[in-house]
Amino acid sequence: KSTLIDWLYGCKLRDMTSDERSKLGPLVPDNAVCVDERGGKSEICAIGHGNVSMTQSVKKVAIDGSNVVIWDFPGFFDTNGPIQEIIHAAILSQFMNHTASPGMILLLTTEENTLLTSRG
């Protein structure tokens, strides 16, 4: 999710080098990407490459030059445990109950087997 938000925000993405991947650990896939800092915009949402959840709290991202606002929420199957999962679900519920009219809701998922193996 964070990679998509960074891209929509206007960040330039690039393939990670093998040295960058090896520093992050053995679970980083060969096709991992990161924000190219030379592209003019810095990473706005941290991109996770390992088996630890990166998005810990809700983050609002306004897309420059438009009226588009994206909200980045922590994902499902959080590595911080079931209590954190319940907290995230409650925050999402409150957000949806108090939002006047969301223009679009996009739920990004991955295959369950991929998600569970990549999260350890």
Side-chain angles (χ1 to χ4, degrees), residues 40-96:
K41 291 195 175 188
S42 298
E43 181 178 71
I44 191 120
C45 293
I47 300 173
H49 297 290
N51 60 352
V52 176
S53 299
M54 291 299 295
T55 306
Q56 300 298 319
S57 60
V58 179
K59 182 169 189 165
K60 177 183 177 181
V61 178
I63 305 300
D64 294 339
S66 74
N67 61 352
V68 174
V69 174
I70 299 173
W71 294 89
D72 187 17
F73 283 83
F76 302 108
F77 304 109
D78 192 286
T79 56
N80 294 310
I83 292 174
Q84 196 63 43
E85 281 280 322
I86 293 168
I87 293 168
H88 292 164
I91 292 169
L92 179 58
S93 175
Q94 287 295 309
F95 178 84
M96 295 307 295

